[in-house]
């Protein structure tokens, strides 16, 4: 190790720090390119940790760095292109990494910033299973509490790059950005394409000295040989007690030349998986199911989108595996480490950690539309055939093609990813507002993916294989099943080969859920009942969407020109439906109905036990009934002696806008609270004026309205209103109130604006204010006369 105990002050580092204050970003990067090319590794060594911090920010989040997560090409193309070119796998920064790598420099990374399970394991003096941490843990020489990892330049760069995604930064307020267009997202894609190529091999690192071959560093990866056990990378341990190896006894091994081909690929992938996914161990995951357990890590939508990019690329990388040769001997002699790496990259590196990560997201993510990111990541993992290099027929929906039978082993060996997570999503869907178009789209997406031809049969076959094992081997506690983590190296000759597909399915389930797990079948009775409940809610959501659409149409069509001017009846008792569909337009309402209708159709295809007649009968029993006025029933309640009590179903119906109480104001309209569309001063003044007029002329108005004839009906049309008894017939009071003058409608902003527009138009037509007022009065009298004649009985008129 070339790290001196006391380093001399670096004048190069001091100059670079000064340039950060005086020079612009692009010029600083140009200077860095020259410095990396001209200076030796000894001079670059003290600069490297500072430069990494300046690029990715500090580990505690106090320094933002280059802000790669917010750097957008469309917003700032110059800085964006400069940063991306500098950090490319073949760029200047990686050249600096390889220079320092050749000299075997080491850099300290605090253990306190590692994921929770790894940090806890190291503090307990237990060596983590991932070989990424082997031979790197350094204890403080003076007996301090701080622990560090001694990383080479490549590992240190990748650790800081990966952790910058999950480090909370104090970004400027009001700064919005698209994750898929950010410099960080693009660089992740570039690194994956470079170090995990789908075609060809991993490009070798450039030589630090021209004319000389690049020395091979000693990677601390899992590809290492010993004289007796070749490539024991992941380690087979007979029992869990052997897993607790003391950190002080870290094995020292020599580098294997055959493994040098892909050590950077394996290191990068291990760093990404550890820093992005390994935040919950199996034990922690089981504890987090308890309601009193506090969450230790909360992933963000940006984090999930980057993990989805990793999952998609790993599928493409794994699917680029060349077909196996016919002869086993030929296979052992000609298969390269990269091809073997492709064979097991998902089950050995990703499967367990991704499953626990998804389980946490399904159980703790908010019930809003942002869950779409988690959903798409999950669906991407479930469909490796979508990322196959085989040419697909043009013009055919990828989700409508039959899933080839060759993917049956993948489905069976990832059975919990399909079955248990599907049940977890069902539980989420039953608590979501399915009237929302975004939530309806998620239901549609899940049902469409699982309804792909031949996929339900594959899942059901996997469950049958698992259940067959229950009958063949009743005492499962006496059998040890190998998990992807404890299954040994994929290049190890001592790895037990499991030929029975049943054992593989059993091993997968028990390795993720434990030996004592109680497996719930996806095609069993319990899940079928959940699907029936979901179908009921989908039907109710469809009825709600249609009802809102009809109410919106009626509202728009019922507004006549005169009512818009303020002379028609204004609804002072409007009710809120509890949903925002009326603000999103008819197109989104139509999409919601289409998504839900197709989701029901796909659910019938997935679960063959459900048929159209059964769903029709279900909807007939649970569909929201309507009364003779076209309004919904009340929410589900329990009648007591004096009042109604909402049931849990009733609360759910109100929250999701499925049903609501018909609440109306039943008092004197003149005494209603002042509305937002009314002028408060005018309301009070007009109330005083109308009260004075009513007090003075009440006897005359009563006399006029009590007569027979057209004049009496005309006055009643304007001066009487429905009584409280008419809203509550059970009271037995049906006599109308005494006629009253009501002028509150003149305080409405709509009425005032309408009158102002009329006078403005009249002035353009050379009609004076007095003439306009007379014409307006004559027009209204004609309108009121017609309405009075058309009224069979005296009807009230409300303003």
């Amino acid at each position: 190790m070339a790290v001196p105990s006391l380093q001399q002050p670096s004048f190069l580092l001091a100059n670079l720090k000064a340039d950060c204050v005086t020079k612009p970003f692009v010029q600083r990067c140009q200077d860095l390119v020259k410095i990396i090319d001209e200076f030796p590794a000894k001079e670059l060594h003290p600069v490297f940790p500072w430069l990494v911090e300046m690029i990715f920010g500090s580990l505690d989040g106090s320094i933002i760095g280059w802000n790669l997560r917010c750097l957008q090409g469309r917003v700032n193309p110059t800085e964006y292109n400069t940063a991306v070119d500098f950090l490319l796998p073949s760029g200047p920064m990686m050249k600096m990494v390889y220079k320092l790598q050749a000299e075997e420099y080491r850099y300290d990374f605090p253990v306190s910033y590692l994921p929770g399970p790894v940090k806890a394991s190291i503090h307990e003096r237990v060596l983590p299973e991932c070989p990424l941490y082997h031979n790197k843990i350094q204890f403080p020489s003076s007996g301090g509490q701080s622990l560090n990892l001694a990383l080479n330049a490549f590992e240190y760069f990748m650790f800081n790059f990966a952790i910058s995604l999950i480090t909370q930064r104090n970004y400027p307020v009001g700064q919005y950005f698209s994750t898929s267009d950010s410099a960080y997202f693009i660089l992740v894609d570039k690194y994956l394409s470079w170090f995990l190529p789908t075609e060809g091999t991993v490009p070798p690192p450039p030589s630090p000295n021209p004319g000389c071959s690049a020395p091979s560093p000693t990677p601390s990866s899992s590809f290492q040989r010993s004289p007796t056990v070749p490539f024991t990378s992941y380690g087979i341990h007979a029992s869990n007690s052997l897993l607790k190896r003391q950190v002080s006894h870290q094995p020292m091994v020599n580098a294997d030349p055959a493994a040098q081909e892909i050590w950077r690929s394996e290191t990068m992938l291990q760093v990404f998986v550890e820093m992005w996914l390994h935040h919950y161990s199996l034990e922690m995951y089981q504890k987090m199911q308890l309601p009193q357990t506090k969450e230790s890590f909360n992933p963000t939508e940006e984090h999930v989108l980057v993990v989805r990019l990793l999952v998609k690329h790993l599928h493409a990388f794994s699917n680029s595996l060349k077909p196996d040769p016919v002869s086993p001997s030929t296979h052992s002699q000609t298969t390269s480490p990269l091809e073997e790496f492709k064979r097991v990259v998902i089950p050995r590196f990703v499967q367990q950690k991704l499953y626990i990560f998804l389980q946490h997201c399904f159980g703790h993510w908010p019930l809003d539309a942002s869950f779409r990111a988690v959903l798409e990541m999950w669906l991407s993992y479930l469909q490796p055939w979508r990322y196959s290099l085989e040419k697909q027929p043009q013009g055919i929906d990828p989700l409508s093609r039959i899933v080839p039978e060759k993917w049956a082993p993948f489905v069976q060996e990832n059975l919990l990813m399909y079955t248990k997570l599907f049940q977890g999503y069902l539980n989420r869907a039953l608590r979501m507002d399915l009237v929302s178009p975004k939530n309806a789209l998620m239901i549609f997406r899940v049902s469409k993916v699982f309804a792909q031809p031949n996929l339900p049969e594959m899942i059901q076959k996997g469950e049958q294989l698992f259940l067959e094992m229950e009958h063949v081997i009743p005492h499962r506690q006496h059998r040890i099943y190998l998990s992807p983590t404890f299954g040994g190296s994929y290049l190890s000759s001592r790895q037990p080969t499991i030929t029975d597909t049943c054992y593989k399915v059993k091993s997968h389930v028990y390795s993720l859920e434990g030996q004592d797990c109680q497996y719930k079948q996806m095609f069993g009775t319990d899940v079928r009942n959940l699907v029936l409940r979901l179908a009921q809610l989908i039907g109710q959501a469809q009825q709600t969407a249609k009802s809102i659409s009809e109410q919106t149409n009626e509202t728009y069509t019922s507004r006549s020109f005169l009512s818009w001017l303020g002379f028609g009846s204004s609804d002072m008792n409007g009710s809120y439906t509890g949903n925002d569909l009326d603000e999103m337009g008819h197109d989104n309402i139509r999409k919601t109905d289409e998504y839900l209708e197709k989701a029901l159709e796909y659910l019938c295809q997935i679960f063959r036990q459900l048929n159209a007649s059964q769903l029709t009968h279900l909807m007939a029993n649970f569909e929201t009934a309507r009364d003779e006025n076209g309004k919904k029933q009340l929410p589900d309640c329990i009648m007591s002696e004096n009042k109604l009590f909402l049931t849990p179903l009733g609360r759910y119906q109100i929250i999701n806008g499925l049903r609501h109480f018909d609440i109306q104001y039943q008092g004197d309209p003149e005494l209603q609270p002042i509305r937002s569309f009314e002028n408060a001063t005018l309301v009070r003044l007009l109330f005083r004026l109308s009260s004075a007029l009513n007090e003075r002329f009440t006897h005359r108005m009563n006399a006029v309205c009590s007569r027979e004839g057209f004049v009496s009906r005309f006055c009643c049309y304007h001066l009487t209103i429905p009584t409280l008894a008419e809203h509550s017939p059970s009271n037995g009071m049906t006599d109308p109130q005494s006629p009253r003058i009501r002028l509150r409608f003149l305080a409405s902003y709509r009425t005032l604006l309408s009158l102002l527009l009329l006078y403005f138009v009249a002035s353009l037509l050379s009609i004076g204010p007095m003439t306009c007022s007379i014409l307006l009065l004559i027009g209204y009298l004609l309108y009121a006369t017609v309405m009075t004649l058309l009224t069979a009985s005296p009807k009230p008129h409300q303003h």
Side-chain angles (χ1 to χ4, degrees), residues 278-315:
H278 194 195
H279 293 276
Y280 320 100
S281 63
L282 276 174
E283 295 79 9
M284 187 182 300
Y285 158 67
Q286 294 171 356
K287 292 179 181 178
M288 288 179 65
Q289 307 307 307
L290 302 176
Q292 67 272 16
T293 305
K294 186 177 181 181
E295 297 180 58
S296 58
F297 178 79
N298 296 310
T300 62
E301 187 174 355
E302 178 190 11
H303 179 186
V304 172
L305 290 174
V306 174
V307 173
R308 186 193 179 206
L309 175 65
L310 172 65
V311 169
K312 292 167 64 176
H313 188 86
L314 288 178
H315 275 319

Side-chain angles (χ1 to χ4, degrees), residues 251-554:
M252 299 299 295
V253 290
N254 298 322
D256 175 56
Q260 300 300 327
E261 177 184 348
I262 59 169
W263 74 266
R264 291 172 298 150
S265 304
E266 185 188 8
T267 299
M268 182 202 70
L269 179 59
Q270 285 182 335
V271 171
F272 285 178
V273 171
E274 287 293 306
M275 302 308 293
W276 294 345
L277 297 178
H278 194 195
H279 293 276
Y280 320 100
S281 63
L282 276 174
E283 295 79 9
M284 187 182 300
Y285 158 67
Q286 294 171 356
K287 292 179 181 178
M288 288 179 65
Q289 307 307 307
L290 302 176
Q292 67 272 16
T293 305
K294 186 177 181 181
E295 297 180 58
S296 58
F297 178 79
N298 296 310
T300 62
E301 187 174 355
E302 178 190 11
H303 179 186
V304 172
L305 290 174
V306 174
V307 173
R308 186 193 179 206
L309 175 65
L310 172 65
V311 169
K312 292 167 64 176
H313 188 86
L314 288 178
H315 275 319
F317 176 69
S318 180
N319 291 340
S320 64
L321 177 67
K322 298 177 182 178
D324 292 335
V326 178
S327 173
S329 60
T330 306
H331 169 75
S332 61
Q333 295 176 2
T334 62
T335 303
S336 66
L338 182 62
E339 293 299 305
E340 293 290 349
F341 188 47
K342 293 178 181 180
R343 188 184 308 278
V344 296
V345 63
I346 291 179
R348 294 295 168 83
F349 288 93
V350 180
Q351 186 192 65
Q352 184 188 71
K353 295 182 176 67
L354 180 62
Y355 173 74
I356 299 174
F357 182 82
L358 285 171
Q359 280 280 35
H360 175 269
C361 291
F362 274 56
H364 296 80
W365 200 277
L367 289 172
D368 56 22
S370 64
F371 186 74
R372 174 79 185 277
V374 180
L375 188 79
E376 293 298 337
M377 176 184 65
W378 172 48
L379 297 180
S380 295
Y381 184 84
L382 299 185
Q383 304 175 88
W385 46 87
R386 291 192 59 190
Y387 310 102
S388 176
L389 298 181
E390 300 175 1
K391 292 184 178 180
Q392 304 292 349
Q394 299 293 330
I396 301 179
D397 185 0
L399 295 180
S400 64
R401 291 192 293 265
I402 298 178
V403 179
E405 194 64 30
K406 69 175 184 178
W407 294 106
F410 178 88
V411 174
Q412 295 162 3
E413 294 170 16
N414 291 271
L415 186 63
L416 291 176
M417 287 285 194
Y418 291 89
T419 60
K420 187 164 184 179
L421 291 181
F422 179 81
Q423 297 169 32
Y425 180 72
L426 279 181
N427 291 323
R428 285 186 62 91
L430 292 173
R431 294 177 290 156
M432 293 169 61
D433 177 14
L434 302 184
V435 185
S436 170
K438 295 179 180 179
N439 292 337
L441 175 59
M442 286 192 280
I443 289 281
F444 167 76
R445 288 282 297 127
V446 173
S447 58
K448 185 175 183 180
V449 168
F450 275 83
Q452 293 179 80
N454 201 33
L455 181 58
E457 289 77 9
M458 289 182 178
I459 299 174
Q460 197 164 11
K461 178 62 175 177
E463 291 193 323
Q464 291 173 356
L465 291 172
F466 179 78
L467 296 177
E468 286 177 7
M469 287 289 295
E470 296 288 348
H471 301 294
V472 176
I473 305 174
H475 303 291
R476 67 188 184 192
Q477 63 270 22
H478 299 300
R479 178 177 293 273
I480 298 176
Y481 297 93
L482 297 177
S483 69
T485 304
F486 312 132
S489 168
Y490 53 81
L491 298 180
S492 174
S493 60
R494 294 180 57 184
Q495 178 182 357
T497 57
I498 305 176
T499 57
D500 192 343
T501 308
C502 297
Y503 286 162
K504 291 184 179 181
V505 177
K506 190 94 168 181
S507 173
H508 158 71
V509 173
Y510 290 156
S511 65
L512 296 181
E513 289 293 325
Q515 294 284 323
D516 298 325
C517 72
Q518 299 295 326
Y519 182 78
K520 183 186 293 185
Q521 299 180 55
M522 176 176 169
F523 295 92
T525 304
D526 294 339
V527 177
R528 179 176 173 274
N529 292 334
L530 289 178
V531 174
L532 287 175
R533 286 180 56 194
L534 179 61
Q536 172 193 349
L537 295 180
I538 288 176
Q540 291 180 346
Q542 286 179 297
Q543 293 296 330
T544 302
K546 292 178 181 178
S547 175
I548 295 175
S549 178
E550 293 172 0
Q551 292 176 5
T552 305
N553 291 333
E554 292 174 359

Side-chain angles (χ1 to χ4, degrees), residues 50-104:
W50 170 84
L51 181 58
V52 169
E53 185 178 65
M54 287 298 101
I55 295 174
F56 302 124
S58 59
L59 296 176
D60 59 4
S62 59
I63 300 176
I64 296 180
W66 287 6
N67 201 9
L68 297 175
R69 289 160 56 184
C70 299
L71 191 57
Q72 302 280 312
R74 292 177 294 182
V75 178
N76 198 336
T78 303
E79 291 189 3
Y80 172 86
N81 292 327
T82 303
V84 172
D85 292 341
F86 186 81
L87 296 173
L88 282 175
S90 58
M93 187 65 188
M94 199 57 69
K95 183 177 181 180
M96 181 181 184
V97 168
Y98 294 140
K99 266 190 176 183
L100 299 170
Q101 186 82 27
E103 300 296 331
E104 298 186 3

Side-chain angles (χ1 to χ4, degrees), residues 222-235:
S222 62
F223 289 92
Q224 290 151 0
R225 289 184 187 269
S226 64
T228 57
V229 183
F231 292 104
T232 57
S233 53
Y234 303 98

Side-chain angles (χ1 to χ4, degrees), residues 692-711:
L693 293 175
N694 289 327
E695 185 178 354
R696 183 171 182 177
F697 299 104
T698 180
H699 298 292
R700 295 185 182 180
M701 290 188 293
N702 283 330
V704 172
C705 291
S706 61
R707 300 173 186 170
E708 296 292 337
F710 173 79
V711 176

Side-chain angles (χ1 to χ4, degrees), residues 723-781:
T723 64
L724 181 63
E726 289 180 286
H727 291 284
S728 302
S730 60
N731 293 341
M733 300 170 56
T734 57
D735 295 332
Q737 291 181 345
S738 60
R740 301 183 64 186
I741 296 174
R742 292 170 177 84
L743 303 176
R744 182 165 174 168
F745 74 97
L746 294 174
S748 171
Y749 289 118
R750 186 179 64 178
T751 302
L752 296 175
L753 179 61
S754 301
L755 291 174
L756 182 62
L757 289 176
L758 280 175
Y759 282 110
F760 177 73
V761 173
S763 65
L764 295 179
L765 300 177
S766 301
I767 300 176
M770 184 62 67
T771 306
C772 180
S773 300
I774 295 174
L775 292 176
L776 187 61
L777 180 60
I778 294 174
Y780 178 72
L781 289 175

